[in-house]
Amino acid sequence: MTSNNPKANYGLEKVRGIFAYLFGLSGIINILALTGAIYMLQIYDRALTSGSVSTLVALSALAIGLYLFQGIFDIIRSQILIRLGARLDHQLAPLAHTVAIEMPRYGYSTSEAMERGRDVDTLRGFLSSPGPIALFDLPWMPIYLAFVWLLHPMLGLLTVAGAIVLALITLVAELMTRRSAQTMIKASVTRNSVADSNARNADILHAMGITGRAVERFDIANRQHLESQTRTSDISATLSGLSKVLRMMLQSAILGLGAYLAIKGDLSPGAIIASSIVTARALAPVDQVIGNWKGVVSARRSHRRLAETLGVMKDKSGLVELPVPSHSLVVDNITTVAPATGAVLLSEASFQLNAGQALGLIGPSGGGKTTMARSILGIWPLLRGSIRIDGADLSQWNENFFTSHVGYLPQDVALMEGTIADNISRFAKVPDARPIINAARAAGIHEMVVHLRDGYQTALGPHGTALSAGQRQRIGLARALYGDPFLVVLDEPNSNLDAEGEEALTKAIISVKQRGGIVVIVAHRPSAMQAVDMVGVVQAGRLVAFGPKDEILQPNKARPVVVERSLPSDRPARSFASE
């Protein structure tokens, strides 16, 4: 797959160079592997017939030297493959994790997203397995066939026939495992999804006494996975066993045919042993490929899936650094669909906010308010329309824009494993105490934090479950305010707050407005609307009203929609490639 994103190629040009080197090295190893056959041929046909001990010693010394070289080259090849796997993992793991973070935004489950990380593990594991070595040795099989043919054409024909039979078994393995392997992957994703859901809802399962039912659901998914895995393994094991039997039969047939030719006087005794050794070596790569075919299929699928998913990642490394935003937010005729189903959640919404303004989005549950917030932040891709900051579309801003100039408090506050300081500073590489404390003061939690035993260094644990819902929400608010961002989006920011927390929230909104920022608030409770200037009413996926707060909230008065319209954009939503 060709991609415009250089990251998607993850150094494939250098990898191809390494593969070319390994291919050449494999050629040398396979030529040296003829040492045993030539040695036996010379022992039986020269040393024994001449009775010369010096010839025997010289041949033995030469064979030992060649064996040592073969062993050294073999070790070098294995170590190169191991380090190549580690190198690819080093390059791919961060990209794959980025994909895993992005995919849920496009409707994929967490388990499907995490498969990309497992794909990296599969590739690294395959490169450290015997599979690649067998694949590198396979193209050099003609060397052995030619050697056997030179000993006698009939031996060569028999060896070629055996190689063709084993190649057909390899083809059968490919055809039979392809479909079952796909089924196994789907069953694995389903099982992991159930397991992940159970783990995330452990409190509910325990409190409502449905742990047993949850385990039953997992057991059903696990059984389906085991059945498909067993079916795939049965195919691989059966074909691998069959190939081994045929290879041993072929070796015996070579010995039998060699003995017949020797009796007829057409072959020497040394050639019989040499032909048997070379035939075994010639067919060994085919046997190994069949035995490792499951790994070959998995590695190929993982490579293809990684190439596809990384290929659609948009590369922002070359974007021009735009000036610090300071003027406006324009929502221009946007339409947003649900990533998972494609259902239209928000249609043709438009409005504009200028620096120092705060907008409150109100409306019934399910009307599209949270969709509006996610669209503004670029969390959910737009089907049509655009979001512009200071006139520039979101796609023109690099990652530093979102790191430094955007704050977001989601409806379900999720704190990451780390300290309070880490979470507020958004895991800054070199955290600065002053902006951390300023953000905490702006959210009204500085006193609460310093009263904790470890203060700002208090470890939150997974998801911050050691804190109350209100504490998590206020720390999330401090994180959104960290660094004085230009655009702050708050989704139900007071859902878990007490009176003191709501007062701190109002002060924080006023502070953002006073320093020339823009605030967008999704709210159900009126207390969150105290500091807003503008109000938008979102119903049934449409912005049905937008204007000054006094006009929109004043009863018995028409609710005008003050919007700026523009021609819709045909830019499609991005999607991630799957199986």
Side-chain angles (χ1 to χ4, degrees):
M1 175 178 178
T2 303
S3 172
N4 294 326
N5 183 1
K7 292 182 178 180
N9 296 319
Y10 45 86
L12 282 181
E13 293 300 326
K14 294 182 179 179
V15 171
R16 291 191 187 101
I18 295 174
F19 280 166
Y21 174 78
L22 289 172
F23 181 75
L25 189 60
S26 297
I28 297 174
I29 292 171
N30 279 273
I31 292 173
L32 291 173
L34 292 172
T35 299
I38 296 175
Y39 177 71
M40 295 304 294
L41 190 63
Q42 295 300 314
I43 289 294
Y44 277 91
D45 294 347
R46 178 174 296 183
L48 292 180
T49 56
S50 66
S52 172
V53 175
S54 60
T55 300
L56 176 62
V57 172
L59 289 173
S60 299
L62 180 60
I64 290 173
L66 293 175
Y67 278 133
L68 287 175
F69 274 110
Q70 180 187 352
I72 291 171
F73 289 144
D74 215 352
I75 291 172
I76 291 174
R77 180 173 63 174
S78 297
Q79 290 184 347
I80 289 175
L81 284 169
I82 291 171
R83 281 158 179 75
L84 178 60
R87 172 182 167 181
L88 285 178
D89 190 298
H90 176 72
Q91 292 178 343
L92 286 177
L95 297 176
H97 193 62
T98 301
V99 171
I101 293 173
E102 293 287 310
M103 284 181 66
R105 294 172 45 214
Y106 296 84
Y108 293 90
S109 68
T110 303
S111 296
E112 287 178 294
M114 295 306 294
E115 282 295 321
R116 298 313 183 266
R118 298 186 186 98
D119 286 337
V120 177
D121 294 337
T122 299
L123 279 179
R124 187 192 66 247
F126 175 71
L127 289 172
S128 303
S129 73
I133 293 177
L135 292 175
F136 279 119
D137 286 341
L138 196 60
W140 298 102
M141 191 167 60
I143 293 177
Y144 304 103
L145 298 179
F147 183 87
V148 176
W149 189 282
L150 290 175
L151 293 176
H152 199 282
M154 291 183 66
L155 293 176
L157 286 173
L158 182 58
T159 305
V160 169
I164 292 174
V165 171
L166 290 178
L168 290 175
I169 293 177
T170 305
L171 179 61
V172 171
E174 161 68 11
L175 296 176
M176 294 184 66
T177 57
R178 182 182 299 175
R179 181 176 298 178
S180 59
Q182 291 176 351
T183 303
M184 183 182 68
I185 289 297
K186 291 179 180 178
S188 175
V189 170
T190 301
R191 182 193 63 170
N192 293 338
S193 295
V194 174
D196 179 66
S197 176
N198 290 346
R200 285 188 290 104
N201 294 284
D203 293 347
I204 297 174
L205 298 180
H206 176 76
M208 303 184 69
I210 54 177
T211 300
R213 297 178 189 174
V215 173
E216 288 177 4
R217 290 182 65 239
F218 173 78
D219 185 46
I220 293 172
N222 190 51
R223 286 181 183 180
Q224 293 174 345
H225 173 257
L226 289 176
E227 288 175 1
S228 59
Q229 186 180 53
T230 301
R231 194 179 309 116
T232 304
S233 299
D234 283 345
I235 295 172
S236 299
T238 300
L239 295 176
S240 178
L242 180 61
S243 69
K244 288 180 181 178
V245 171
L246 290 175
R247 184 164 61 89
M248 290 187 291
M249 290 174 60
L250 180 61
Q251 283 183 261
S252 298
I254 289 291
L255 286 173
L257 179 58
Y260 170 77
L261 294 173
I263 293 172
K264 300 293 268 182
D266 295 333
L267 199 67
S268 66
I272 299 175
I273 304 300
S275 62
S276 177
I277 294 174
V278 172
T279 301
R281 175 67 186 184
L283 301 180
V286 182
D287 191 28
Q288 290 176 354
V289 168
I290 295 174
N292 291 276
W293 194 251
K294 183 179 175 182
V296 173
V297 172
S298 297
R300 186 177 61 194
R301 182 181 58 248
S302 295
H303 172 268
R304 182 179 66 249
R305 191 160 53 184
L306 280 170
E308 290 174 348
T309 52
L310 294 177
V312 297
M313 288 179 61
K314 188 170 183 181
D315 181 30
K316 292 192 174 185
S317 58
L319 292 180
V320 175
E321 186 77 22
L322 296 176
V324 175
S326 59
H327 299 299
S328 64
L329 163 69
V330 176
V331 175
D332 186 6
N333 201 32
I334 64 172
T335 296
T336 307
V337 299
T341 64
V344 176
L345 301 179
L346 186 68
S347 179
E348 299 179 354
S350 297
F351 63 84
Q352 177 173 334
L353 294 175
N354 297 317
Q357 288 187 319
L359 166 67
L361 295 174
I362 61 175
S365 297
K369 301 185 300 299
T370 295
T371 300
M372 177 79 78
R374 291 176 174 173
S375 300
I376 291 172
L377 294 169
I379 297 174
W380 280 2
L382 304 179
L383 182 64
R384 288 188 296 272
S386 62
I387 305 292
R388 298 184 178 277
I389 305 291
D390 285 4
D393 188 270
L394 280 186
S395 61
Q396 299 178 31
W397 295 90
N398 60 25
E399 186 177 348
N400 182 62
F401 165 73
F402 295 94
T403 304
S404 306
H405 306 304
V406 172
Y408 177 47
L409 177 63
Q411 196 172 52
D412 298 320
V413 182
L415 300 180
M416 300 174 69
E417 188 166 358
T419 65
I420 291 178
D422 289 335
N423 275 271
I424 293 177
S425 69
R426 309 179 187 185
F427 289 84
K429 292 181 180 179
V430 184
D432 186 347
R434 179 173 297 177
I436 292 174
I437 293 175
N438 288 343
R441 290 187 186 279
I445 61 168
H446 176 70
E447 296 298 327
M448 177 197 80
V449 172
V450 296
H451 278 83
L452 297 174
R453 186 181 65 179
D454 296 324
Y456 283 92
Q457 296 306 311
T458 300
L460 298 181
H463 310 297
T465 52
L467 302 176
S468 69
Q471 288 175 318
R472 290 199 301 272
Q473 193 161 43
R474 295 180 71 177
I475 291 175
L477 176 61
R479 179 178 61 189
L481 299 174
Y482 175 79
D484 295 335
F486 172 69
L487 173 62
V488 179
V489 180
L490 310 174
D491 192 352
E492 297 289 347
N494 62 339
S495 58
N496 296 302
L497 299 184
D498 55 16
E500 180 184 353
E502 290 192 340
E503 182 180 354
L505 172 64
T506 301
K507 290 181 179 179
I509 296 171
I510 294 174
S511 176
V512 173
K513 291 169 55 181
Q514 289 176 342
R515 60 176 172 78
I518 292 175
V519 185
V520 177
I521 307 168
V522 175
H524 281 296
R525 292 164 60 177
S527 54
M529 306 286 289
Q530 293 181 14
V532 304
D533 313 285
M534 312 293 287
V535 171
V537 181
V538 184
Q539 292 180 353
R542 288 185 175 274
L543 183 64
V544 298
F546 175 83
K549 179 174 68 173
D550 293 339
E551 294 182 8
I552 299 298
L553 297 183
Q554 190 173 13
N556 301 322
K557 188 171 183 178
R559 296 178 175 178
V561 179
V562 183
V563 295
E564 301 261 346
R565 297 289 182 186
S566 66
L567 292 176
S569 169
D570 292 329
R571 183 182 61 195
R574 272 171 32 201
S575 63
F576 277 93
S578 185
E579 289 284 346

